[in-house]
Amino acid sequence: MDLLIKIIVCFFAGAAAGIGTGFAGMSAAAVIGPVLTVFLGIPSYQAIGIGLASDVLASASSAMTYKKNKNLDVKNSLVLLISVLVMTVFGSFIASFLPDRAMGNTTQIALIFLGLRFIIKPVNNTKEQMVQSDPRTRVIKSIIGGCLVGFICGFVGAGGGMMLLFVLTSILGYEMHMAVGTSVFIMAFTALTGSISHFTIGKLPDITSLILCIIFTLIWAKIASVIANKASSKTLNRVVGVVMIITSIIILVVRAIS
């Protein structure tokens, strides 16, 4: 019976996380972390580590799908990637000194408004506009944005993907499909770094929950990314907005239950 409950919880957590990853490039830990803590009693630090580990293959698989559709910018995202990775390790280290934590309600409310922004005022950037930006300015913005996103991902294990999408679209001027594709590409490395840091600093989590979450998240992320690449920019904006809002509400409800 305990195993059945664990499978059900991991299925729904993985499905929600995978859909969020494939459509919006969000971190799987945003959902998996608090859900496993509340419904399975897994310590927060270990639950976030499971969420980050589940994010690795899910994000990598999604990134491959976006790359096949020419919606991935590897070259120009390397500075952002390095900044995120460095601060993810630092954030994870700082978080290890706290007994328990989760993303604050204030952050979730902010993400709800960010989701509304994508719905009401869609990102209309084009790939042509992206290449016209000043290289030096792009590097500076990438470093600042990457440090912020990396620390958020490492410290709370959630929200990094959604914040990264905001940085890519609103600060670096990425077209929506390209932004999501680049986001999941970066999140694959960020999640790998974060999960290794969590498991090294802490201890290995429940293996069954880890395997189940990885499998379910991967399956749903692949499905979502395939659908997302076939959607128009306007539709993807709306889907991303809805995913952000629903995910934030789920986290708020889960935290309220706990």
Side-chain angles (χ1 to χ4, degrees):
M1 187 64 179
D2 290 339
L3 178 59
L4 178 60
I5 293 176
K6 185 175 294 186
I7 292 174
I8 293 174
V9 171
C10 291
F11 173 79
F12 282 105
I19 291 172
T21 299
F23 273 120
M26 58 167 275
S27 170
V31 176
I32 292 178
V35 168
L36 295 188
T37 297
V38 173
F39 294 103
L40 296 182
I42 296 177
S44 179
Y45 196 78
Q46 292 183 32
I48 289 173
I50 291 175
L52 289 170
S54 301
D55 208 2
V56 178
L57 291 181
S59 291
S61 176
S62 297
M64 290 177 63
T65 301
Y66 279 92
K67 185 177 185 301
K68 289 179 181 178
N69 289 273
K70 299 181 180 179
N71 288 318
L72 174 58
D73 181 20
V74 176
K75 180 180 179 180
N76 293 315
S77 64
L78 292 180
V79 173
L80 182 62
L81 169 60
I82 294 173
S83 301
V84 171
L85 291 181
V86 171
M87 291 305 294
T88 295
V89 175
F90 179 69
S92 181
F93 175 72
I94 296 299
S96 67
F97 292 101
L98 301 179
D100 197 12
R101 83 273 184 256
M103 185 184 293
N105 290 344
T106 301
T107 304
Q108 296 306 323
I109 294 173
L111 290 174
I112 289 176
F113 280 102
L114 178 58
L116 288 172
R117 182 263 188 187
F118 283 118
I119 296 174
I120 298 173
K121 189 179 180 181
V123 175
N124 295 316
N125 304 329
T126 64
K127 294 179 180 179
E128 289 72 22
Q129 292 174 323
M130 287 171 49
V131 298
Q132 294 176 357
S133 60
D134 179 59
R136 183 177 180 181
T137 302
R138 178 192 290 271
V139 170
I140 295 175
K141 290 181 178 179
S142 295
I143 293 175
I144 296 175
C147 287
L148 175 62
V149 172
F151 183 79
I152 290 175
C153 186
F155 185 73
V156 301
M162 290 179 276
M163 290 301 296
L164 184 58
L165 188 62
F166 172 75
V167 170
L168 289 167
T169 56
S170 300
I171 298 179
L172 296 177
Y174 273 60
E175 182 268 338
M176 196 61 185
H177 286 84
M178 187 72 75
V180 177
T182 303
S183 176
V184 291
F185 168 73
I186 293 177
M187 286 307 299
F189 292 94
T190 303
L192 177 61
T193 303
S195 60
I196 291 176
S197 298
H198 270 65
F199 297 154
T200 301
I201 296 173
K203 61 180 182 180
L204 291 178
D206 177 67
I207 301 300
T208 302
S209 297
L210 174 63
I211 295 175
L212 288 172
C213 285
I214 288 176
I215 293 174
F216 291 137
T217 305
L218 174 61
I219 292 173
W220 284 99
K222 185 63 177 180
I223 294 173
S225 61
V226 170
I227 296 174
N229 275 278
K230 295 180 180 179
S232 65
S233 180
K234 185 176 181 179
T235 299
L236 186 58
N237 269 272
R238 291 175 176 173
V239 172
V240 167
V242 170
V243 169
M244 282 188 173
I245 293 172
I246 293 178
T247 300
S248 297
I249 291 176
I250 290 175
I251 296 173
L252 289 173
V253 171
V254 170
R255 293 189 73 233
I257 294 175
S258 62

